[in-house]
């Protein structure tokens, strides 16, 4: 049968940004799909070579712009490894609190936009943005910004928690737990949603590992891997929590992983607030940071998966080479492998559950 | 044919100079949902109930350039994206207006020394309103939208200037 | 391998950091076999091991690692060291919970190395990106072309001799 080439994007409402998909179609079935990326490429790694170490932290906010705290943390952790610096305990607890709140915010956004992709425009998004705005309010009270916080900094965090912050967070989490039930009703009891996502875009566990998928995409396939558990950083080893997984590896399992992870993050934040130690929030660091010669590769679990920074220092004030291992980039590379033979409408659902953010894919 | 075009031009002149027409235009500038980067997230937040910044001003979000009047450029423009943006702009029917949202769209922002970023979207297409911020708060974007509406009403946009020159 | 060059270290910390093969061998007996296969080794922490491999032996060494449980290729990157180019592979074992970072040195005038896509499929886009940014050619790669930059872009931007200059606007 004759095939048709269809060009999706770079401007298309369902591509979560500026992605171009060259889709080869046979009737309504996808024969082959080739993502064309790079429409937001601004040479992040080259720019970083011309910046001081401290100047790079606010730039990392713009990598994965719906989870800025995670990017800050990943970069700062790599620099701290180079400097052999250990931030105070209180700073680490505050970091865990904001990172997990950020994870909730990011998953809420992903959940909202998957509703748009599946043909229930704005319903789910209006609900999820309600809670997301509350997290942004909390972050605003911390750092003064809604997006791009520059809050986690080399040696600790920028400011101490404002008065009453833990109480506000606890009140919010109590509310969130109720709202998550609402989302579950909205998703699991919606016939259209289930039919559009169940059994669509199945990624088998072995393939997921071999293709380099991480984060909810990997865990949706039932692989119990999480950098927070495997290669613990910060103070994650002090909390009592589990890695959540989906079971089937289809779109619905990936979505269910988001919801379960939000619940788990909420648990972690509650524990962190209950055990929040007093003390210093920032280790003294000189204004101009000169890490010794050497290199390191450090990873954290961002909401999208394994976010790694490889930094080569040459003893000067600027990094010699900085490389970002972005989870969205690797997860997107899975798309051609799982989208073979699906319907064109399902391609959009699969892309939505891979949850790419193009600031991070293109760097 | 030429006569018909001339006549059309004359009619356009009369329409553009009419305050009533401009007033009506300012009441429903349909917006092109076109997200580039971080600012697109704030643009989405502007549309949600907390701010209700899009439909409150008669702006309906359209996913195609052919039905839109206002283009909000929300993010940095790369060399690879620039021809695409230019084409999208050309696909919009006249009169058309552009809001440059955020530092990146205004001047290149933190990526000023990049090898792949166009320093400001106004190097490609004419811009009416600049909304500074990194990213601008939804309130700032609201102010930009209100400003654009006033400019349309008073006939001070780039489109009106171009028409006046002819 | 580079040595740690900090002045303000106290003695205890410095002594703690110099790990040897014998320190980690009880938990990771495979290390003795790895030592035989590589040219250089630097142990950063217990689960971060840097090794250096000749480019002829890269594919064999990667196959060996894959057989012994290193199933997650986390990242592939290039570094321009001015005298030579370097490719670094970060390989993580989900079973052992250990990361081995493989370094391969390539001469400037002949930056060719074997592709590891036949072993880890995830190398596909990473290698394309490294080709895009450094001009390192991966032999036997299924689809080696530019990924982030347009096809008509001149030069490889992350090389140190690439000059950022004003280009023509549209």
């Amino acid at each position: 049968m004759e095939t048709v080439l269809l060009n999706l994007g770079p401007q298309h409402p369902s591509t979560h940004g500026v992605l171009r998909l060259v889709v080869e179609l046979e009737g309504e079935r996808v024969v082959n799909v080739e993502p064309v990326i790079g429409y937001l490429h601004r040479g992040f790694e080259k720019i970083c070579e011309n910046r001081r170490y401290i100047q790079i932290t606010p730039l990392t906010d713009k990598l994965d712009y719906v989870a800025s705290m995670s990017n800050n943390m990943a970069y700062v952790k790599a620099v701290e490894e180079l400097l052999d610096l250990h931030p105070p305990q209180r700073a680490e607890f505050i970091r865990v609190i904001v990172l997990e709140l950020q994870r909730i915010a990011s998953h809420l956004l992903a959940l909202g936009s998957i509703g748009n992709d599946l043909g229930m425009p704005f319903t789910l998004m209006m609900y999820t943005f309600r809670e997301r705005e509350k997290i942004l309010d909390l972050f605003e009270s911390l750092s003064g910004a809604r997006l791009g916080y520059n809050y986690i900094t080399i040696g600790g965090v920028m400011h101490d928690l404002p008065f009453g912050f833990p109480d506000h967070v606890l009140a919010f989490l109590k509310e969130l737990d109720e709202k998550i039930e609402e989302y579950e009703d909205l998703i699991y009891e919606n016939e259209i949603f289930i039919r559009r996502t169940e059994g669509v875009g199945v990624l088998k566990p072995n393939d997921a590992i071999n293709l380099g998928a991480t984060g909810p995409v990997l865990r949706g396939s039932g692989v119990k891997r999480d950098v927070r558990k495997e290669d613990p950083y910060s103070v994650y080893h002090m909390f009592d929590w589990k890695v959540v997984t989906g079971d089937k590896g289809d779109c619905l399992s990936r979505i269910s992983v988001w919801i379960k992870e939000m619940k788990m993050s909420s648990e972690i934040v509650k524990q962190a607030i209950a055990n929040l130690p007093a003390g210093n929030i920032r280790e003294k660091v000189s204004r101009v940071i000169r890490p010794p010669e050497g290199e390191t590769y450090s990873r954290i679990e961002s909401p999208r998966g394994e976010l790694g920074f490889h930094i080569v220092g040459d003893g000067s004030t600027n990094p010699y080479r900085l490389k970002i291992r972005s989870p969205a980039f690797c997860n997107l590379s899975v798309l051609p492998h799982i989208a073979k033979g699906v319907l064109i409408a399902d391609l959009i659902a699969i892309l939505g559950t891979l949850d790419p953010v193009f600031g991070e894919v293109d760097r | 044919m030429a006569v018909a075009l001339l006549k059309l031009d004359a009619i356009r002149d009369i329409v553009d100079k009419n305050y009533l027409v401009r007033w009506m235009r300012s009441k429903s500038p349909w917006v092109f949902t076109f997200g580039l980067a971080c600012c697109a997230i704030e643009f989405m937040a502007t549309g949600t109930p907390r701010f209700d910044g899009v439909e409150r001003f008669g702006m309906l979000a359209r996913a195609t350039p052919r039905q839109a009047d206002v283009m909000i450029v929300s993010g940095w423009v790369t060399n690879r994206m620039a021809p695409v943006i230019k084409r999208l702009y050309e696909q919009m029917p006249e009169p058309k207006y552009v809001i440059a949202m955020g530092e990146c769209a205004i001047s290149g922002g933190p990526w000023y020394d990049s090898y792949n970023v166009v320093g400001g979207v106004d190097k490609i297409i004419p811009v009416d309103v600049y909304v500074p911020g990194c990213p601008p708060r939804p309130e700032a974007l609201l102010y930009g939208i209100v400003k654009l509406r006033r400019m349309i009403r008073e006939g001070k946009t780039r489109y009106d200037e171009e028409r006046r020159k002819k | 391998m580079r040595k740690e060059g900090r002045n303000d270290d106290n003695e205890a910390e410095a002594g703690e950091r110099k790990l040897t093969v014998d320190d980690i061998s009880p938990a990771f007996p495979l290390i003795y076999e790895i030592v035989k296969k590589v040219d250089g080794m630097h142990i950063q922490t217990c689960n971060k091991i840097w090794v250096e491999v000749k480019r002829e032996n890269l594919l064999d060494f990667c196959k060996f690692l894959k057989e012994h449980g290193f199933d997650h290729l986390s990242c592939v990157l290039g570094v321009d060291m001015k005298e030579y180019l370097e490719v670094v592979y970060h390989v993580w074992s989900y079973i052992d919970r250990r990361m081995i970072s493989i370094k391969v040195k390539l001469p400037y005038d002949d930056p060719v190395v074997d592709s590891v896509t036949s072993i880890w499929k995830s190398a596909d886009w990473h290698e394309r990106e490294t080709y895009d940014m450094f001009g390192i050619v991966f032999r036997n790669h299924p689809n080696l072309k530019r990924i982030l930059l347009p096809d008509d872009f001149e030069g490889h931007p992350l090389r140190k001799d690439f000059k950022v200059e004003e280009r023509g606007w549209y």
Side-chain angles (χ1 to χ4, degrees):
Chain A
M1 200 172 156
E2 216 172 292
T3 58
V4 178
L5 269 186
L6 182 74
N7 199 12
L8 214 79
Q11 195 283 318
H12 192 269
S14 68
T15 51
H16 288 232
V18 279
L19 165 71
R20 187 171 140 222
L21 292 174
V22 181
V23 192
E24 198 181 342
L25 285 173
E26 194 185 285
E28 225 177 323
R29 296 267 166 199
V30 175
V31 180
N32 199 2
V33 48
E34 196 199 342
V36 180
I37 59 173
Y39 287 96
L40 281 184
H41 178 69
R42 66 259 190 211
F44 192 94
E45 290 159 11
K46 187 79 175 177
I47 290 171
C48 287
E49 287 172 14
N50 302 324
R51 299 281 198 277
R52 303 245 164 121
Y53 280 95
I54 279 194
Q55 289 175 319
I56 295 172
T57 328
L59 285 188
T60 56
D61 284 333
K62 274 86 193 171
L63 268 178
D64 176 355
Y65 34 76
V66 296
S68 302
M69 291 284 189
S70 313
N71 303 324
N72 286 351
M73 179 67 192
Y75 168 70
V76 162
K77 180 172 168 263
V79 177
E80 278 170 0
E81 262 177 34
L82 271 182
L83 286 167
D84 197 20
L85 187 76
H86 300 284
Q89 197 77 348
R90 183 176 171 85
E92 294 280 27
F93 270 78
I94 295 174
R95 282 178 180 185
V96 168
I97 292 170
V98 294
L99 284 174
E100 293 307 313
L101 283 175
Q102 182 75 81
R103 192 182 308 277
I104 295 171
S106 170
H107 284 342
L108 282 172
L109 186 91
L111 205 60
S113 50
I114 190 78
N116 283 3
D117 294 344
L118 293 178
M120 37 196 283
F122 301 118
T123 312
L124 203 49
M125 200 174 120
M126 293 289 168
Y127 282 111
T128 55
F129 264 67
R130 181 182 57 192
E131 268 67 61
R132 190 173 171 273
E133 288 292 336
K134 283 173 187 158
I135 299 180
L136 294 193
D137 280 352
L138 290 170
F139 283 164
E140 204 182 333
S141 71
L142 271 180
S143 65
R146 283 166 52 86
L147 289 177
Y149 313 105
N150 188 17
Y151 180 65
I152 297 173
T153 172
I154 298 163
V157 292
M158 272 286 183
H159 316 284
D160 207 343
L161 298 180
F163 179 74
F165 184 83
D167 298 332
H168 286 300
V169 174
L170 287 179
F172 164 73
L173 289 177
K174 199 176 165 218
E175 204 184 310
L176 180 80
D177 292 344
E178 291 165 13
K179 300 291 187 207
I180 287 179
E181 281 174 24
E182 204 176 297
Y183 303 147
E184 282 177 336
D185 287 350
L186 204 58
I187 289 171
Y188 296 135
E189 292 181 16
N190 185 339
E191 189 69 29
I192 300 172
F193 204 100
I194 300 289
R195 289 219 187 167
R196 286 292 307 274
T197 52
E198 204 172 23
V200 170
V202 178
L203 181 62
K204 295 196 182 74
N206 285 337
D207 287 347
I209 292 175
N210 199 9
L211 288 167
T214 47
V217 179
L218 181 68
R219 291 195 283 279
S221 299
V223 186
K224 212 169 182 174
R225 304 290 178 220
D226 193 317
V227 180
R228 287 174 289 172
K229 268 279 193 244
E230 273 179 61
D231 194 6
Y233 55 94
S234 199
V235 285
Y236 276 107
H237 57 279
M238 294 169 76
F239 304 119
D240 177 29
W241 62 284
K242 290 198 293 281
V243 179
V244 295
T245 53
D247 40 3
K248 294 192 195 104
D250 55 358
C251 289
L252 191 63
S253 335
R254 292 196 274 275
I255 293 166
S256 72
V257 168
W258 291 339
I259 296 174
K260 287 181 207 161
E261 271 193 10
M262 282 199 275
K263 286 182 187 166
M264 203 44 86
S265 294
S266 151
E267 289 300 312
I268 297 175
V269 175
K270 278 175 198 159
Q271 288 175 34
I273 285 181
N275 301 316
L276 188 66
N280 198 4
I281 55 148
R282 201 170 172 185
E283 201 73 17
K284 274 216 171 105
V285 184
S286 66
R287 288 256 161 195
V288 181
I289 293 172
R290 284 176 202 274
E293 240 179 60
E295 58 193 299
T296 191
Y297 178 65
S298 92
R299 320 172 294 160
I300 69 155
E301 183 79 17
S302 94
R304 265 153 210 83
E306 184 185 317
L307 174 63
F309 271 74
H310 180 114
I311 300 182
V312 183
D314 60 348
S316 71
T317 53
N318 301 353
Y320 183 78
R321 166 93 170 99
L322 186 144
K323 156 84 187 174
I324 301 142
R325 189 262 184 216
S326 70
F329 180 78
C330 303
N331 288 351
L332 189 65
S333 72
V334 174
L335 182 69
H337 297 273
I338 55 174
K340 284 203 174 105
V342 300
L343 293 172
I344 178 109
D346 293 341
L347 179 67
I348 305 300
I350 295 169
L351 182 66
T353 53
L354 294 180
D355 192 20
V357 171
F358 284 90
E360 195 183 48
V361 174
D362 296 340
R363 282 156 302 180
Chain B
M1 188 66 196
V3 177
L5 273 179
L6 267 177
K7 265 191 184 163
L8 205 66
D9 226 33
I11 293 169
R12 259 176 87 178
D13 258 5
I14 295 164
V15 167
D16 279 342
K17 277 174 191 157
N18 192 332
Y19 179 80
L20 192 65
V21 171
R22 292 205 306 264
W23 177 79
M24 286 189 287
R25 270 179 195 161
S26 77
K27 288 296 173 190
S28 67
W30 285 8
V31 66
F32 178 30
T33 53
F34 166 58
L36 277 176
C38 344
C39 297
I41 307 291
E42 286 297 70
F43 175 52
M44 274 158 78
T46 314
T48 51
R50 153 99 51 117
F51 300 99
D52 189 21
V54 176
E55 305 221 343
R56 180 158 37 129
F57 297 110
M59 298 176 97
L60 200 59
R62 305 306 296 174
T64 159
R66 294 184 196 283
Q67 298 172 359
D69 303 311
V70 182
M71 182 189 214
I72 297 183
V73 182
S74 50
W76 53 87
V77 182
T78 59
N79 282 349
R80 199 171 186 178
M81 197 64 201
V84 180
I85 287 183
K86 185 141 178 81
R87 179 176 295 179
L88 287 171
Y89 177 75
E90 280 162 0
Q91 281 175 344
M92 280 162 60
E94 285 196 322
K96 48 194 168 188
Y97 315 103
V98 177
I99 297 179
M101 183 183 180
E103 296 299 334
C104 307
I106 294 172
S107 66
W111 326 112
Y112 64 92
D113 56 349
S114 162
Y115 53 84
N116 205 27
V117 172
V118 177
V121 72
D122 50 5
K123 287 187 171 148
I124 315 166
I125 53 177
V127 176
D128 291 299
V129 178
Y130 297 88
V131 183
C134 190
R137 297 179 57 87
E139 290 92 331
L141 182 62
L142 289 189
Y143 182 64
I145 290 170
V146 172
K147 197 107 182 160
L148 178 71
R149 274 162 46 112
R150 187 180 300 156
M151 281 167 76
I152 296 172
R153 198 166 62 231
E154 292 171 0
K156 285 179 182 167
T157 57
R158 286 296 178 92
Y159 167 75
D160 294 309
E161 275 172 29
E162 295 274 306
R163 294 293 304 157
R164 237 171 269 139
K165 272 183 207 159
K166 276 177 191 167
Chain C
M1 288 288 109
R2 280 205 207 81
K3 292 228 170 76
E4 299 285 332
R6 283 192 73 197
N7 307 326
D8 52 339
D9 271 344
N10 57 38
E11 285 300 311
E13 244 184 30
E16 202 178 44
R17 213 182 304 128
K18 270 178 206 153
L19 289 165
T20 57
V21 172
D22 296 322
D23 288 332
I24 59 169
S25 59
F28 188 52
L30 196 69
I31 191 89
Y32 288 121
E33 281 187 60
I34 292 174
V35 166
K36 278 180 217 156
K37 286 176 187 284
V38 299
D39 289 349
M41 181 180 278
H42 165 72
I43 299 169
Q44 193 182 358
T45 60
C46 282
N47 55 7
K48 263 188 197 168
I49 301 159
W50 298 75
V51 298
E52 207 179 306
V53 178
K54 283 205 184 73
R55 66 170 156 173
E56 300 86 52
N57 305 336
L58 175 73
L59 219 54
D60 287 339
F61 185 65
C62 288
K63 267 181 198 145
F64 167 78
L65 284 185
K66 177 80 192 277
E67 279 160 18
H68 289 83
F70 286 81
D71 47 5
H72 175 54
L73 178 68
S74 178
C75 187
V76 179
L77 65 136
V79 186
D80 183 354
M81 301 303 275
K82 283 182 184 148
E83 291 99 44
Y84 55 91
L85 291 166
E86 210 174 68
V87 187
V88 187
Y89 300 79
H90 294 291
V91 192
W92 173 258
S93 165
Y94 277 131
I95 300 156
D96 265 329
R97 303 196 170 181
R98 222 169 285 274
M99 177 160 281
I100 292 190
S101 306
I102 310 161
K103 281 186 170 187
V104 183
K105 283 182 185 170
L106 305 174
Y108 234 102
D109 49 356
D110 178 33
V112 181
V113 70
D114 284 315
S115 164
V116 295
T117 40
S118 55
I119 302 165
W120 298 288
K121 276 188 204 160
S122 54
D124 186 350
W125 279 24
H126 286 298
E127 289 185 344
R128 272 176 74 185
E129 194 197 330
T130 313
Y131 164 72
D132 197 351
M133 295 296 159
F134 287 93
I136 295 167
V137 177
F138 291 88
R139 210 184 293 140
N140 299 332
H141 188 282
N143 184 21
L144 194 66
K145 57 181 187 189
R146 283 186 184 272
I147 182 165
L148 290 175
L149 291 163
D151 289 333
D152 55 353
F153 193 87
E154 280 168 28
H156 299 284
L158 280 179
R159 285 199 180 188
K160 290 285 173 188
D161 54 6
F162 181 87
K163 291 274 183 298
V164 180
E165 54 187 289
E166 287 260 320
R167 277 154 208 278
W169 310 120
Y170 294 89

